[in-house]
Amino acid sequence: MIFRDFPLKLMETLKCRRSLHQYIVVFMFLVTLSTGSTCEAPSSPQCFRTSSATIMYLCEWMMNTTESDVSYDLYIEYEAQWKLSVLLGPVRTENKCRGIKETTCSINGDDLIQKRPVDIWVVAHVGNSSCTSSRTSVELRHIVKHKVPQNITMSWLKNNLSLSWKAAEKYPALAEVRFRRHERPTDSWETRMTNTTYETSKYSVIVVNLLKFTSYQVQIRQRSSQAGNPLWSDWSPVVTVPAELEQKPEVSMTTTLLNGTRKVTLTWKPMPHAAAVTGVTYNVMDTQSSQKCPCERRRPDIKSSEHQTYVSYSAVNISVMAMNAAGSSPPAIIQIPAQPAADLKSCDETVMKKKIKKKTCFEFYEFQDGDSRPENIITVTADKKKNRKSVKEFVRYLYFEHICEKGKPRTVDMCLVYKKQGAPRIIPQDFTASRETHNSVDLSWKAIPLADQQGFLTHYSLCSVKIISPEAQKECRNISASLINYHLENLSPGAKYSFSLAAVTQAGEGPNAETAINTLPEKPVNVLWSLSLLFVFFFISTTCTCILKRIKNKIFPPVPTPVIPNFTPYQAESQEMPERKEEVHELTLLQLHPEGKSVPEDAEETTILRGDWDDDTDEDVENERGDSSLSGGTSDECLGPGSTDQALKRSKGGEVTDLEQLDNEIAMLIYRNGLVFDVKTELP
Ligand SMILES: *[C@@H]1O[C@H](CO)[C@@H](O)[C@H](O)[C@H]1NC(C)=O
Ligand SMILES: *[C@@H]1O[C@H](CO)[C@@H](O)[C@H](O)[C@H]1NC(C)=O
Ligand SMILES: *[C@@H]1O[C@H](CO)[C@@H](O)[C@H](O)[C@H]1NC(C)=O
Ligand SMILES: *[C@@H]1O[C@H](CO)[C@@H](O)[C@H](O)[C@H]1NC(C)=O
Ligand SMILES: *[C@@H]1O[C@H](CO)[C@@H](O)[C@H](O)[C@H]1NC(C)=O
Ligand SMILES: *[C@@H]1O[C@H](CO)[C@@H](O)[C@H](O)[C@H]1NC(C)=O
Ligand SMILES: *[C@@H]1O[C@H](CO)[C@@H](O)[C@H](O)[C@H]1NC(C)=O
Ligand SMILES: *[C@@H]1O[C@H](CO)[C@@H](O)[C@H](O)[C@H]1NC(C)=O
């Protein structure tokens, strides 16, 4: 190379610039030549600024050598200013970096070399031999080459990937991004050219429309958009971009109580593979330690999928968040309510004045009716003592005292407290008297809502005043604060009373609710009682009468007086009847037909049977009578006195003669088992 270059240089210099300086250079070449040893020349140097704002130039070159003892000289040659050129000739050569070991060198870009075209070359010295690179002619101030983008951060915006890195200068640059899917490293790169945005000394670009749930490999290079002759930076190292963590971790939790401390064990499922290619860490935070109440704990990033933590009995929110290089998942928030004490008592008087120590904290939960999840929580720690001032008067608080013990929080006290108690501000609602008697009354009311109590109720004060009475006097009594009704006794009968009820706290008595009644006049027996007794008596007597009647009817069935008073033989027969057992008999057919033709059997039979069943209703019997007379009447068309005679003869035999004694009236008597059906037929 040197041999090849030498004649050219020699000719050039001899031809154009016959200056002293040039001769020196030629001499140097000759010296180099004379040493006779060879080395491979370095590449020609590249000099640039890393940003247009700096005046330092960085020169880089390359040298292929296995030698360890190599040193370099960098030369810059330019046309000298006219004053100097008189003295030294028109060309000046400066040896900027002398005998350096590295292949880079920084030079201060003064006006002499910046503002005009210069020739740059480098000479390498290996042992006793030297080799010179080829020259480059450049105008230095136009050349800007940014550094490699470093510390690239990434985050997903749905399908778009945002990449950012430290800005090379305070102007936007042009960036080229190349990427391929992480699981296909043999695919060719896809490239995108974009202008970066510049903000707070950061460059950022957005690569749009990538695939979701996919991890990528990314490289970036950048180029100044300000310089006249910008150079591309080198490609950044390959960066692996994991997929977005879109889902919050699925966390399950178990708690165990340990004497004031709750041990919370959290476990969660691993994140999807594409989001975990560069590893996932988990961050567990709780609201107690973030408020330093009572322990301040640093939460290391957790690699495993289980974590144990300790919390006090106070309510706490624990959040679990997964994080990878491209961002973090939404947090999974586990809300653990306060561990309720079995029986909350009111606090000691001293609690409100207790001094707060380090690693201790107090909490005041505003206690509201029917609200187990308190909203306004005041936390007082050693750092935030002033918070105690925001505890309100006349408001009931659930008070907690926690201490930090060996790094674990523990609840040591839990009670109800007022900063200052007041008298209740409203009357007991719906105070009514009911069920008054001559000497007692039931009083009932509704409990006063917590917000209106303004203190711990010690008792109710219940007073009664007898109005219009010579010895009118007020009587008061204390009754339990837990009651909502009271049975008041020993009142005078027939008097007017007024009652007043007020809730009482340590601070005094609240307003009075009032109601009035008249007691009933005294009576030996209550009217109601006597009325009901009378009714019962009446009822019993009626029932007894009925039953007795029935029994009598059973034992002595009523014997009807025969229609014909002098029908003696039948009377005798009927008197035997009660001794017989009652049974349904075959019906007796009375055929009152001249030709002796009989009426159909079943028709008669039904009538008789019905008569048997409805034996205790006289009315029915009457009906039957009517029916039979009716049926007798209808079937009478063919009945003549003779046929009746015949039938009677058939059934009763010898008695026919007696019947004949009746004038203009035929009476038929059917007498069965104590029942009489008589058929009367009026003969014209
Ligand atoms: C360095 O030398 C190796 C072989 O010795 C060659 O393959 C390579 O291209 C050389 N590099 C340069 C920059 O000359
Ligand atoms: C380099 O030159 C010195 C004398 O100038 C000589 O002593 C030495 O042996 C030479 N080394 C090589 C490697 O030629
Ligand atoms: C990346 O940034 C961190 C601090 O944010 C720094 O410690 C580290 O050296 C940087 N890495 C590179 C390659 O600049
Ligand atoms: C992603 O880029 C596309 C194309 O520029 C744009 O329409 C979309 O709004 C971007 N999405 C987000 C979430 O920024
Ligand atoms: C970058 O911006 C310049 C002007 O601001 C514009 O000419 C150029 O086309 C842009 N390049 C890209 C890739 O958007
Ligand atoms: C709980 O802690 C208290 C001290 O605060 C101690 O007196 C008590 O014995 C402990 N109980 C148990 C079961 O450890
Ligand atoms: C827990 O989170 C819920 C909902 O964001 C909030 O209302 C509550 O005050 C939090 N509790 C604590 C103890 O921070
Ligand atoms: C009711 O209680 C108050 C306070 O405890 C007491 O002063 C008062 O004497 C009591 N009244 C009666 C009637 O017991």
Side-chain angles (χ1 to χ4, degrees):
M1 285 254 295
I2 289 152
F3 267 113
R4 208 174 56 224
D5 276 356
F6 175 62
L8 256 171
K9 283 261 174 235
L10 198 62
M11 273 164 68
E12 193 184 72
T13 45
L14 288 172
K15 219 188 287 171
C16 312
R17 308 173 183 178
R18 298 173 182 275
S19 68
L20 176 67
H21 181 83
Q22 208 66 34
Y23 287 123
I24 295 164
V25 174
V26 173
F27 175 74
M28 272 176 63
F29 277 130
L30 289 172
V31 169
T32 310
L33 194 69
S34 68
T35 55
S37 92
T38 58
C39 64
E40 201 168 347
S43 65
S44 61
Q46 202 177 43
C47 292
F48 51 85
R49 290 182 293 172
T50 54
S51 97
S52 44
T54 176
I55 54 159
M56 292 303 292
Y57 285 80
L58 191 68
C59 294
E60 289 176 345
W61 59 93
M62 286 197 307
M63 170 87 179
N64 230 357
T65 180
T66 49
E67 293 282 340
S68 55
D69 184 27
V70 186
S71 64
Y72 305 96
D73 287 325
L74 179 79
Y75 293 94
I76 293 182
E77 187 187 272
Y78 52 91
E79 278 184 38
Q81 280 170 309
W82 66 272
K83 279 180 192 166
L84 276 172
S85 67
V86 171
L87 213 67
L88 301 167
V91 174
R92 248 183 85 79
T93 303
E94 285 184 29
N95 188 345
K96 282 286 181 185
C97 305
R98 203 185 294 270
I100 56 159
K101 298 280 176 191
E102 301 86 30
T103 57
T104 62
C105 164
S106 271
I107 55 173
N108 199 354
D110 51 33
D111 285 355
L112 285 177
I113 59 168
Q114 253 202 118
K115 292 194 171 170
R116 65 203 68 200
V118 292
D119 279 2
I120 305 171
W121 69 95
V122 67
V123 178
H125 305 282
V126 185
N128 280 352
S129 60
S130 309
C131 351
T132 305
S133 74
S134 57
R135 294 168 159 236
T136 50
S137 280
V138 288
E139 195 165 341
L140 280 178
R141 74 185 152 133
H142 291 311
I143 305 176
V144 173
K145 182 187 173 185
H146 289 327
K147 281 183 184 159
V148 173
Q150 274 180 336
N151 268 8
I152 297 166
T153 59
M154 56 209 110
S155 65
W156 286 99
L157 310 157
K158 302 237 155 67
N159 287 6
N160 302 345
L161 176 65
S162 166
L163 298 164
S164 58
W165 61 95
K166 189 171 178 287
E169 59 187 8
K170 57 183 185 197
Y171 306 102
L174 187 66
E176 192 178 4
V177 180
R178 62 183 188 186
F179 57 91
R180 61 188 174 199
R181 292 174 66 176
H182 179 259
E183 69 265 35
R184 294 191 197 159
T186 51
D187 279 10
S188 58
W189 295 101
E190 197 177 325
T191 59
R192 301 261 174 95
M193 191 88 80
T194 47
N195 281 329
T196 67
T197 56
Y198 170 83
E199 209 176 313
T200 59
S201 56
K202 284 237 158 194
Y203 280 159
S204 55
V205 293
I206 292 178
V207 186
V208 300
N209 295 331
L210 297 180
L211 297 171
K212 286 198 128 196
F213 314 115
T214 309
S215 50
Y216 283 92
Q217 290 184 338
V218 172
Q219 277 190 298
I220 306 172
R221 61 178 184 170
Q222 58 186 349
R223 202 177 77 179
S224 169
S225 58
Q226 297 294 310
N229 186 9
L231 302 175
W232 276 112
S233 75
D234 295 328
W235 282 107
S236 71
V238 174
V239 178
T240 303
V241 180
E244 187 183 7
L245 285 164
E246 283 188 301
Q247 303 292 320
K248 55 185 175 189
E250 278 181 57
V251 185
S252 54
M253 175 199 73
T254 55
T255 52
T256 34
L257 299 185
L258 304 167
N259 196 17
T261 302
R262 287 184 287 182
K263 183 169 95 177
V264 181
T265 307
L266 303 160
T267 51
W268 50 81
K269 287 186 184 169
M271 290 286 125
H273 176 74
V277 284
T278 54
V280 177
T281 57
Y282 297 88
N283 189 279
V284 177
M285 307 250 287
D286 70 76
T287 48
Q288 289 180 357
S289 53
S290 63
Q291 284 183 304
K292 298 189 195 175
C293 181
C295 300
E296 187 188 7
R297 276 168 288 173
R298 272 203 281 129
R299 299 288 184 188
D301 289 339
I302 300 147
K303 293 240 162 48
S304 66
S305 63
E306 193 186 292
H307 184 64
Q308 265 180 9
T309 185
Y310 295 87
V311 297
S312 68
Y313 276 7
S314 163
V316 62
N317 289 352
I318 300 180
S319 72
V320 180
M321 216 163 62
M323 295 180 298
N324 66 14
S328 54
S329 72
I333 293 178
I334 302 114
Q335 296 188 21
I336 309 177
Q339 182 68 31
D343 50 338
L344 280 173
K345 297 197 181 83
S346 53
C347 301
D348 264 13
E349 295 279 310
T350 55
V351 152
M352 285 311 297
K353 288 172 193 130
K354 202 162 186 174
K355 275 203 169 177
I356 188 137
K357 292 182 220 148
K358 275 215 156 176
K359 295 194 167 186
T360 306
C361 82
F362 305 146
E363 277 186 299
F364 296 88
Y365 283 36
E366 202 166 303
F367 210 76
Q368 281 149 343
D369 265 334
D371 193 1
S372 58
R373 197 180 293 167
E375 278 177 19
N376 303 320
I377 304 173
I378 297 166
T379 305
V380 182
T381 58
D383 295 348
K384 292 180 186 164
K385 284 180 191 152
K386 282 184 182 163
N387 278 0
R388 203 188 316 222
K389 283 189 183 144
S390 51
V391 176
K392 289 177 271 186
E393 289 181 344
F394 313 133
V395 173
R396 184 175 294 189
Y397 287 96
L398 175 57
Y399 165 84
F400 286 96
E401 185 179 336
H402 312 291
I403 56 167
C404 189
E405 208 177 58
K406 292 175 196 156
K408 292 175 195 167
R410 193 157 75 83
T411 303
V412 291
D413 198 4
M414 200 172 168
C415 54
L416 297 172
V417 71
Y418 280 91
K419 183 178 188 179
K420 186 179 175 188
Q421 295 193 49
R425 63 178 172 199
I426 64 163
I427 57 170
Q429 302 291 295
D430 295 349
F431 179 47
T432 49
S434 62
R435 297 208 288 177
E436 54 267 36
T437 67
H438 66 285
N439 71 345
S440 74
V441 68
D442 280 354
L443 298 166
S444 66
W445 60 91
K446 279 187 185 157
I448 296 176
L450 259 188
D452 297 314
Q453 290 184 7
Q454 305 206 103
F456 296 111
L457 295 191
T458 52
H459 58 271
Y460 284 106
S461 167
L462 174 65
C463 297
S464 59
V465 180
K466 200 155 122 191
I467 303 166
I468 324 164
S469 159
E471 74 268 32
Q473 62 179 35
K474 192 172 175 182
E475 252 187 64
C476 289
R477 64 190 68 203
N478 289 347
I479 58 175
S480 163
S482 62
L483 291 180
I484 53 161
N485 54 50
Y486 191 74
H487 183 66
L488 193 60
E489 281 179 330
N490 299 331
L491 305 178
S492 316
K496 181 168 186 177
Y497 277 95
S498 90
F499 303 106
S500 65
L501 181 77
V504 185
T505 66
Q506 183 193 314
E509 208 174 288
N512 279 303
E514 298 199 346
T515 187
I517 56 140
N518 290 309
T519 49
L520 301 179
E522 194 154 30
K523 268 187 190 173
V525 190
N526 196 310
V527 180
L528 207 71
W529 257 113
S530 37
L531 268 176
S532 57
L533 271 179
L534 213 70
F535 177 76
V536 168
F537 176 74
F538 176 76
F539 182 77
I540 289 169
S541 58
T542 328
T543 322
C544 284
T545 322
C546 285
I547 290 167
L548 278 172
K549 246 187 185 169
R550 275 192 74 166
I551 291 168
K552 201 177 135 204
N553 278 2
K554 279 266 161 120
I555 300 167
F556 311 107
V559 182
T561 355
V563 183
I564 306 143
N566 48 356
F567 201 78
T568 32
Y570 282 91
Q571 254 180 337
E573 211 181 8
S574 73
Q575 271 161 2
E576 291 161 27
M577 278 313 188
E579 280 146 42
R580 285 194 213 157
K581 214 185 159 198
E582 197 172 272
E583 52 188 285
V584 178
H585 283 260
E586 281 277 271
L587 76 148
T588 311
L589 269 179
L590 288 183
Q591 187 56 280
L592 307 178
H593 205 272
E595 286 108 280
K597 218 161 117 192
S598 60
V599 175
E601 266 190 28
D602 30 349
E604 254 321 283
E605 196 171 56
T606 353
T607 319
I608 302 294
L609 283 168
R610 278 178 67 189
D612 267 353
W613 287 328
D614 301 332
D615 59 343
D616 35 2
T617 37
D618 294 354
E619 206 177 84
D620 276 11
V621 176
E622 212 90 285
N623 282 348
E624 281 307 318
R625 273 187 203 142
D627 282 355
S628 2
S629 65
L630 199 75
S631 62
T634 46
S635 56
D636 259 357
E637 299 149 7
C638 334
L639 284 180
S643 64
T644 321
D645 284 3
Q646 265 186 346
L648 280 169
K649 268 177 202 163
R650 221 182 293 158
S651 57
K652 308 290 173 196
E655 277 76 51
V656 180
T657 41
D658 293 312
L659 266 172
E660 279 167 347
Q661 289 167 7
L662 292 168
D663 290 337
N664 295 332
E665 190 184 72
I666 297 165
M668 282 174 298
L669 213 64
I670 304 154
Y671 188 69
R672 306 288 300 173
N673 291 349
L675 280 173
V676 175
F677 296 101
D678 56 339
V679 179
K680 286 184 186 173
T681 317
E682 293 263 301
L683 287 179

